[in-house]
Amino acid sequence: MNILFYEYGLNPFTGGVQRVSYNIAKHLKGEHSTYVCYTTNEEYKSAYNEAFTGHINIKDLSSASHKSLLEFIKSNRISVIINQCGSALEHTSFLYGVKQEYDFKLYSFVHISPTGSRDVLGYRDFNFPKLVFRSIVKEFVFLFYKADSKRFREIYRISDKVILLSKYHVDEFKHIIHSKDEASKIMAIPNMVPFPPQNENIIVCKRKKILVVARMGETVKRLSRVLYAWNHLHKDLTDWDLTFVGDGSELPKFKELARKMNLPRLTFTGSTNSQKYYEDASIFLMTSASEGFPMTILEAMQFGVVPIVMDSCKSFHEMIDNGKNGFLTPNKSLSVFETQIMELANDNVKRQQMASKAMKSTSAFYPEAIINLWKQLLKA
């Protein structure tokens, strides 16, 4: 079978979806021919041949791109397109248009929570005035047009399958599109761990470091919450450091906010390979308003970094057993979030016990289990 992964970006080190595509394609390549189509202005490197048999880069969704992609699909006899932009109607419609001229299965992966458009409403942090204005506009649009419902209904209609990242998302999606899914087009396949199993000896080498790995955007990630928490905690956690790994449009804003609060022992690394930071860190933080099935939680747990996560998304419960291999704190409650950080930072024994359990619990997402789900999908 010849499979084409369609996605925005390409580099597996710059985004979770790219890592998913790369890792899945690498595991499938032995039995199938795997190709990639990407829309960003990136250079395809020979190292990517480990995962992909061939590639095509389209810069837009124009008629010229339609023609180029159609020719590529025909020449490589593509039978399945893995649409990693499955929450974007514009891209899914573009692929559906190509499908009208060459028959293939269109499997659309939704890498966000189905309720994501609703989860991010009500933003009111005036350190980010543009985002506040944008949120008010979104609230108006959502109230009067229910844009997420219309978008997902159409994506469901034109796709052969819609794949969500968590079993907890299936009923949410059905509710949003007002369908019981009699055609059985909806299924769930979680992300798999991106790294090989780590030796538990890594736990005793951990340093007093708190880690955030994320795209530096406030609308969804709500990273300002971490800065506010650190503003309250750093005077008590004097031997701990906080590191933000990642790049994004709001990075300058976060740096400026940290400067205004005069926050010590704080580092912004920008875009870089996160593995060495997972190896060192002891605590991982996530404060997002919405997520799909975040790779960074699994990555952290693989390296024995205990996650403390605001409970904004049901998929978190598929990874974190609260109080055992990590903590889920009430969504938006900064005080409880801070208390949990303080308690875990000051209890080395408990932290190491939870780190060990976190590492063991990622086995449910090892490649063998997840690839079996992919094989079931490809047989459908």
Side-chain angles (χ1 to χ4, degrees), residues 6-7 11 13 21 25 41 47 101 118 123-124 144 151 188 199 215 231 249 258 268 274 280 306 318 324 358:
Y6 178 92
E7 56 192 14
N11 189 337
F13 295 114
S21 294
N41 188 24
E101 299 182 56
R118 308 172 187 207
Y123 185 83
R124 294 296 185 272
F144 288 97
R151 171 166 56 100
N199 191 313
R215 175 178 49 80
N231 190 39
S249 59
F268 293 94
S274 57
D280 281 347
V306 181
E318 203 162 341
K324 296 182 179 180

Side-chain angles (χ1 to χ4, degrees), residues 91-314:
H91 285 270
T92 306
S93 296
F94 173 75
L95 293 175
Y96 181 70
V98 177
K99 178 179 167 69
Q100 303 312 298
E101 299 182 56
Y102 187 86
D103 189 33
F104 54 80
K105 296 290 187 182
L106 179 57
Y107 295 155
S108 294
F109 280 69
V110 177
H111 286 276
I112 61 174
S113 168
T115 61
S117 296
R118 308 172 187 207
D119 297 337
V120 300
L121 298 178
Y123 185 83
R124 294 296 185 272
D125 186 334
F126 290 94
N127 283 297
F128 301 84
K130 289 184 179 178
L131 301 184
V132 174
F133 175 76
R134 191 184 305 167
S135 178
I136 293 171
V137 173
K138 285 182 177 179
E139 289 168 39
F140 176 84
V141 172
F142 180 81
L143 178 64
F144 288 97
Y145 297 103
K146 306 293 183 186
D148 61 336
S149 180
K150 294 177 182 178
R151 171 166 56 100
F152 281 132
R153 279 204 304 269
E154 182 63 9
I155 289 169
Y156 174 83
R157 185 187 71 83
I158 64 180
S159 301
D160 293 291
K161 292 280 186 183
V162 173
I163 298 89
L164 307 169
L165 294 180
S166 171
K167 59 186 179 183
Y168 293 106
H169 288 162
V170 173
D171 286 339
E172 289 179 330
F173 192 86
K174 290 179 182 179
H175 177 74
I176 288 173
I177 67 171
H178 309 298
S179 171
K180 295 181 179 180
D181 187 35
E182 290 86 354
S184 299
K185 291 171 64 173
I186 304 172
M187 63 182 297
I189 300 180
N191 292 330
M192 70 178 179
V193 291
F195 300 106
Q198 304 297 306
N199 191 313
E200 281 199 40
N201 290 337
I202 195 174
I203 295 174
V204 298
C205 300
K206 290 292 183 181
R207 301 169 67 184
K208 292 185 176 182
K209 290 184 175 294
I210 300 172
L211 181 64
V212 174
V213 180
R215 175 178 49 80
M216 296 293 116
E218 177 69 2
T219 304
V220 174
K221 301 301 182 182
R222 295 292 201 272
L223 298 177
S224 62
R225 292 171 174 172
V226 179
L227 296 178
Y228 296 139
W230 188 238
N231 190 39
H232 296 150
L233 295 173
H234 71 82
K235 293 178 182 178
D236 295 311
L237 300 179
T238 55
D239 50 352
W240 284 78
D241 296 334
L242 172 63
T243 301
F244 284 76
V245 175
D247 203 352
S249 59
E250 260 87 61
L251 179 56
K253 280 282 188 181
F254 294 129
K255 289 182 176 180
E256 176 62 15
L257 185 58
R259 186 196 65 78
K260 287 180 179 179
M261 290 190 283
N262 195 28
L263 298 178
R265 303 184 307 283
L266 170 60
T267 303
F268 293 94
T269 70
S271 180
T272 186
N273 190 334
S274 57
Q275 180 170 340
K276 63 180 180 180
Y277 296 96
Y278 288 128
E279 290 172 350
D280 281 347
S282 296
I283 297 173
F284 174 85
L285 304 181
M286 179 173 283
T287 52
S288 301
S290 181
E291 288 284 349
F293 196 93
M295 294 287 291
T296 52
I297 293 180
L298 286 181
E299 290 168 354
M301 293 172 71
Q302 266 200 287
F303 285 91
V305 191
V306 181
I308 301 177
V309 178
M310 285 191 178
D311 193 5
S312 61
C313 186
K314 291 182 179 179

Side-chain angles (χ1 to χ4, degrees), residues 322-338:
N322 190 31
K324 296 182 179 180
N325 62 359
F327 289 104
L328 292 168
T329 66
N331 189 26
K332 301 180 183 179
S333 176
L334 197 61
S335 61
V336 178
F337 186 70
E338 292 171 358

Side-chain angles (χ1 to χ4, degrees), residues 323-358:
K324 296 182 179 180
N325 62 359
F327 289 104
L328 292 168
T329 66
N331 189 26
K332 301 180 183 179
S333 176
L334 197 61
S335 61
V336 178
F337 186 70
E338 292 171 358
T339 298
Q340 199 62 78
I341 295 171
M342 181 69 73
E343 290 181 358
L344 191 62
N346 288 324
D347 192 336
N348 188 55
V349 173
K350 184 173 185 177
R351 199 170 62 248
Q352 290 191 354
Q353 290 174 343
M354 294 183 73
S356 175
K357 291 177 181 177

